[in-house]
Structure formats: C-alpha cells, structure tokens
Amino acid sequence: MTVAPDPRLLAHAKHVSQGASLFVLFVAVLVLVGWMLDLERVKGILPHLATMKANTALAFLAAGGSLWLLNVEGASATRAHRGAQACALIVMLIGLLTLGEYGFHRDLGIDQLLFRDIGAAPGMPWPGRMAAATAACFFVVGAAVLLFGTDAWRVARPGQPLALAVMVVSFLSLVGYGYGVRALYAIAPFSSVAVHTALSFLVLSVGVLAARPSWGLMRIVASSGVGGATARRLFPAVIGIPFVLGWLRLQGERGGLYGTEFGLALLVTSTTIALVILVCWSAASLDRADARHRDAEERMRQMQKLEAIGRLAGGVAHDFNNLLTVVRGRTHLLRGLLERDEAAERHVAIIERASDRATALVAQLLAFSRKQVLQPRVLDLNEVIASMEDMLRQLIGEDVALRFVPGVDLGRVKVDPGQVEQIVLNLAVNARDAMPRGGHLTLSTANIELDEAYARAHPGASPGLYVLFAASDSGAGMDEETRARVFEPFFTTKAPGKGTGLGLATVYGIVTQSGGNVWVYSEPGRGTTFKIYFPRIEEAPDVIQGSGPIAARHGTETILLVEDEQDLRDLACEILAGHGYTVLTAGDPEEALRLAELHPATIELLLTDVVMPGSSGPQLAERLLARRPAMKILFMSGYTGDAIVHHGVLEPGTPFVQKPFTPETLSQRVRETLG
C-alpha cells in the first residue's frame, strides 16, 4: 500500500506533462519549417546525422496536441480527452501505415505527399519514409495516450508500460548517438532514428506518464512518503551518471589517454564514488525529512491530546460555573444580612476569596478549552502592548530588563483586547519566573506571511498573512520533553503552590479560539521564545471606550426566568425580586412556553440559560418572540457551546451575561437590556 500522492507534486507533474507537449510541438513545427525552407541543419541537427522526416514531424504535431489535450481539467475535460484520443488515433494510424509499407514492401507514396527528400542518396529506397523504429514508437505511444484518455485506471493501466517501452527505445537511440553505436538507432542505412526524433520521443513518453501522476508507477514517484522522495532523488542521477561517465571514459580511450582495461577500471571507480555520494546525500536528506515528519506527528498527537483535555475542561467548567454562581451570589446576599458581626464577616470574606479564585480557575479552563465568550475588536497590537509597558515593568521587577520592538506599519488584528492583555501578562509572568536572577524580556511585533512549508511543519497552522507577536526571554529555557507539554493545563515545572499550570494553557486557548496559532522555541540555557500569529485583516481599528461600573437600578417589569438548575434559578429569582421585578420561573423550555401562554399581561424580558435539556435558549426565544415580538431577550451561560455563539464569538448585539455572576452584575445586565 503506497502513501497518498502529495497534491503539490501532482500539480508539478501536470506542469511537466504540459511542458513536454509544448516541447514536442515546438520541435515538430521547427522541423516542418526546415522542410519548407530546405534547411538541412534544422532537419538533421548536423550534416552527417539522419534527418527527421516530414511525416515524422506531422505525427509529433498530432502527438504533442493529444498530450496537451490530455492535461485539460475542469468542465471541458471530457471533450478535451476525446480530442486527445482522436489525435492519438491519427498518430497510431501514421505509425501503422508506415509499418505496413515496411512489412509488405509496398510504397504507398504517403511519405512524399508534402515534401520530397531531395537530399537523399541516389538509389536509397523510400527516401522520405520515417524509420521503422520511429513508426513502431508512434503506434505504441499513440496507444498509450489513447488508453490514458479514459478515467478508469483498470482500462488505462496498460498505457504506462507502453509509454515506458517508448522511453527505453528512445533512450537507447540517444545512447547510440552518444557512444557512436549505430546499431542502437539504425536498423539499416536507410532507416535511422534522428537524434531529435529520439529526444522528442523521450520527452513525449515522460509527458504521457506525468499526465496521470496518481496512477500506477507514477503514484510511487509522486508519493509524499519516503519512497516517493527517494525515487525523485535517485532517478535523474541513476539515469544520468552512468551515461555521462561512460561517455567520458569512451572519449578518453578514443583520445589515447588510456587503454580499455584502465578505462573500464576508471568507469567502475568513478561510478561507484558517484553512487556512494548520491546514496549518502539521499540518506541525509531522508533523515532530515523523517525527523520533520516525526516532529509533525509530536505536534499532531500533542494537539489531539490538548483537544481531548479541552473538551473535558469545558464540560467541567460549565458545571462549576453553575455551582460558583450560587456560591458567589449567596455570599453577596449573606453579606447584606450581617450586621457588624466581624467573625461572620471574616468567614464570608474567606468564602468570597475562595470563590473568586475558583472563578478565575474556571475562566482559565474555559480559555484553554476555547469555550469562553470573546468580544473581538479591530486592534493595533502596538498600541495595546505599549499601553501595558508600565504595568509590565512593575510586574516583572527591576531585575528583568523589558524591551518592546514595535513592527513598522503593523497590520490590524481582530481579537478581544482583554484577552490580548491576558496573553501578554501570562507570557511576562512565565518569563519572569524563568529568570530568577534577572535577565532580558523582549516583546516584538511584525507583519509576516506564513507559507505552505510552514503550515506543513506546524499542524493547525494555515498559509496566509499574519501579525506576529513574539515574547523572548534569556531564561533557563526548556528541554524537548518540557516544551512538548508546555501548553497542557496543570502542567508546571514550578514548585508546589507557586503556580496552577494554567497560564500557558490559557494563552493557547485564547490564541486558537481567536483563529491564530502559537509555537514555542526553546533550548536549555538559551532562553525561550513564544511566537503568536494572529490573522491580519484590512480594517480600521475600533475605538475602545472604557466603561465604569453601572449602578444597579430597580424595576417593575415582568421577567420570565428559565434555568434548569434549581439552586441557580432560586438565586436569580431572589435577586431580581429584591430589585422590584415580577419574576415568573420555569425549569425548562416547555414549562416556560406554558407560563407565557397562561400569563395575560406583558412579559418584558426573557432571561434564559442557553443550554438546557430538550431545547436550547435560542430556540425558546424564537418561539416566544413569534407570540410576543416586543419581549427583550437576555441569555446567560457558563460556556459557549451553543447556537447563539459561533466559535465562542458573540454575534453583534446579542445581550449576554456570563456565569458565574454576582447579584450586581445580573441586575445591571437586566436593567441594560430592558433599557
């Protein structure tokens, strides 16, 4: 079982086949012009060599045209392939008629219809007729094109050995010319294969094989695996080296430089040395390719591992957000009931700090699993990073020298500005911890274009225009094992209690959810560089306006609250009722529909969870809006695996409150949505 062909190599093979057809057409037209103008140098290359006959040039004209049509793709491919087969039949007919003349010793006169070979020696029979070997090659190569014009490999399979046979015959003819062995290119004095005829057949047969690179033997050559790479490296050298070295040995003998025995020994030695060098070079190249392949496979397995962990983390974070909403909400409500009870206040404060830490951890898990809610803006990264310089200097301390190198004419990116700040902070903290005795931290930006080679070597990356943000430190660096796990959540090289192991996992999640990719380059003792690539866009940057806290305001509107978690539903109901709202509660969408049907008065707001058993929040909203079009909608969710959010990015204008929320946050968002 062979490795699938490389699409790039398939495209290159098509170009080779098209180039071969153009070469054959050029030679055919050139020779016909030579016959029209009686130019012996064009007809025969050199005066003492055989000429390419006029009907040979005509046959090459049909053969080159058939090969060109064979490479047509798209909507007109079927018609073009039929044209290729028709031209191939003409080529076969020319070869067959000529072979018939030779076989039956009849002169049908077809060779003299256009031009008479007035330069032929007197008494030479059939002066304008192509060589018998040429006629046979035309018949065979025409049959190969005819078969290759079909789309079924089973039918076309014999075409490859036919094309290979023509390749061998033409190569033998060229060897005969190179070594002066007439028997290899001439059956009789009047039946010689011209040198440019042999060359054209060689190019034509290569073009025929390259026209179907995904079939048969060519599938191996075009393979993206080690076998294909080996074949592509060795074939040209294996064919060319013996030919050149043998020719040089022969010229040395003819020139009297050495005898036959010495020449033979020289040939064996030089061929052996050349092949050893070739094998060593190929082996080294294959080792490098194999290393890159294995690395692409550390990377693919690592990505799959991170994907699996991310799905688990997202599910866990969703459930924890519901629980944390209840804990944080009840804690805030409890604080309002306490009256100068310092001991109770202290316990509440501890609970609040613990829940805040848990909320931060859950937010990091959501970031890693790419299920957080993003609010992207068109940004200039230079402005964002420059605005953080003072804060970063305080964060990393005086022992670490911070340097920012902004890119010139930097392109724009569309990302969440808060998440970009989170990335920069996490990388700065990571760099600071890697340099306990001080060092250098360099932040830089640049416009960059990633090509296909980079994308192949970095699974998950795509070719295109990007904005690069790089963070380089002069710290301890990482070995290969550590570098391979650096983005795993809860993986850390720090001492217990010194870190959660979620900082770089958060960076990975934010970047990939924003459509970018991140790679780390590090060696022990040589520091670490994180390179982050955000897709570049051609839009003007958004104006980011800061907003202070909005005071919670009361209301008298009626709210339909839909939440399947009872404790959370009870909490939200208590919060909203405490702010003056009339609250109708439902545990699932069907109950909500029944309540809405039975409630005669206006319902100003639907506050619904996004993910619920049986139906989703957006589906419920769609059904209720059909009956109550004036009703406002506010969604709430602990993660973003739902219909209102595509890849974690909120659609513009969608009111949303992220769990876990505090009573103040919920009441503010409700008031904002109601207006």
Side-chain angles (χ1 to χ4, degrees), residues 124-211:
M124 182 178 291
W126 315 307
R129 183 177 297 171
M130 68 176 69
T134 301
C137 284
F138 274 129
F139 181 80
V140 173
V141 79
V145 174
L146 187 67
L147 291 170
F148 270 33
T150 63
D151 294 327
W153 164 235
R154 290 182 179 274
V155 178
R157 182 179 297 176
Q160 283 199 343
L162 292 178
L164 286 171
V166 174
M167 186 184 296
V168 171
V169 171
S170 57
F171 184 73
L172 281 175
S173 298
L174 291 174
V175 170
Y177 276 108
Y179 284 76
V181 183
R182 185 176 179 81
L184 293 179
Y185 62 86
I187 298 176
F190 55 84
S191 186
S192 300
V193 178
V195 64
H196 43 334
T197 298
L199 181 60
S200 297
F201 271 128
L202 182 64
V203 173
L204 182 64
S205 57
V206 170
V208 172
L209 291 172

Side-chain angles (χ1 to χ4, degrees), residues 589-604:
E590 292 303 321
E591 184 180 358
L593 290 170
R594 289 194 299 270
L595 279 174
E597 189 71 27
L598 295 174
H599 188 74
T602 302
I603 298 178
E604 283 81 5

Side-chain angles (χ1 to χ4, degrees), residues 208-546:
V208 172
L209 291 172
R212 294 294 181 265
S214 59
W215 289 356
L217 296 174
M218 286 301 296
R219 181 181 176 88
I220 299 175
V221 179
S223 165
S224 58
V226 176
T230 304
R232 292 190 296 274
R233 286 183 173 91
L234 294 182
F235 272 155
V238 167
I239 294 172
I241 288 176
F243 182 91
V244 173
L245 293 179
W247 184 83
L248 291 174
R249 173 240 173 171
L250 182 62
Q251 299 308 311
E253 288 183 6
R254 288 176 175 174
L257 298 178
Y258 42 74
T260 303
E261 294 80 4
F262 184 84
L264 185 59
L266 186 63
L267 175 63
V268 172
T269 303
S270 59
T271 303
T272 302
I273 292 174
L275 291 179
V276 167
I277 293 174
L278 177 63
V279 169
C280 291
W281 173 75
S282 298
S285 299
L286 291 175
D287 277 345
R288 290 193 295 269
D290 189 51
R292 289 193 298 267
H293 182 68
R294 287 199 305 269
D295 185 61
E297 284 186 339
E298 280 176 9
R299 293 180 186 270
M300 183 60 71
R301 284 196 296 269
Q302 182 70 5
M303 287 185 63
Q304 292 171 344
K305 182 179 181 180
L306 293 177
E307 288 287 340
I309 297 174
R311 286 193 294 270
L312 175 62
V316 171
H318 171 247
D319 292 337
F320 265 81
N321 267 332
N322 284 340
L323 298 175
L324 285 170
T325 302
V326 176
V327 173
R328 298 185 75 196
R330 290 296 178 186
T331 304
H332 279 69
L333 294 177
L334 179 61
R335 181 183 291 278
L337 299 176
L338 299 175
E339 295 182 358
R340 297 184 180 180
D341 188 336
E342 293 184 1
E345 278 279 356
R346 185 171 63 85
H347 291 307
V348 170
I350 292 173
I351 295 173
E352 284 183 331
R353 286 198 299 270
S355 63
D356 287 344
R357 289 182 60 189
T359 300
L361 287 174
V362 171
Q364 288 180 309
L365 285 175
L366 284 173
F368 167 72
S369 60
R370 292 173 288 174
K371 294 185 182 298
Q372 73 216 2
V373 177
L374 299 182
Q375 294 180 315
R377 301 286 186 272
V378 179
L379 303 177
D380 182 338
L381 283 184
N382 284 343
E383 295 180 0
V384 176
I385 298 171
S387 68
M388 299 178 64
E389 278 195 81
D390 292 340
M391 178 178 60
L392 290 174
R393 294 185 194 280
Q394 295 178 5
L395 178 68
I396 61 180
E398 296 180 354
D399 292 339
V400 178
L402 176 65
R403 182 187 178 210
F404 175 42
V405 184
V408 180
D409 296 326
L410 195 67
R412 309 297 186 225
V413 296
K414 192 167 187 177
V415 292
D416 188 317
Q419 299 298 331
V420 171
E421 293 179 355
Q422 187 68 41
I423 289 173
V424 177
L425 288 173
N426 284 346
L427 293 180
V429 169
N430 196 71
R432 179 201 64 191
D433 294 342
M435 299 181 289
R437 296 182 179 83
H440 300 273
L441 173 60
T442 302
L443 307 179
S444 61
T445 58
N447 294 323
I448 195 166
E449 181 175 1
L450 300 182
D451 56 17
E452 292 184 358
Y454 179 91
R456 287 194 303 273
H458 298 78
S462 300
L465 301 177
Y466 290 84
V467 172
L468 166 67
F469 167 60
S472 302
D473 64 59
S474 59
M478 296 178 279
D479 57 24
E480 182 64 26
E481 182 179 358
T482 302
R483 188 182 66 82
R485 301 185 60 190
V486 73
F487 295 120
E488 287 185 18
F490 307 115
F491 173 76
T492 179
T493 58
K494 300 174 184 177
K498 297 297 184 180
T500 62
L502 283 173
L504 294 179
T506 302
V507 171
Y508 173 85
I510 294 173
V511 172
T512 51
Q513 190 177 359
S514 302
N517 57 87
V518 54
W519 300 100
V520 58
Y521 305 85
S522 184
E523 293 182 22
R526 296 192 175 183
T528 300
T529 296
F530 286 89
K531 291 187 175 182
I532 295 172
Y533 302 92
F534 289 113
R536 197 190 319 171
I537 62 171
E538 299 296 332
E539 296 181 28
D542 294 334
V543 178
I544 304 175
Q545 299 177 344

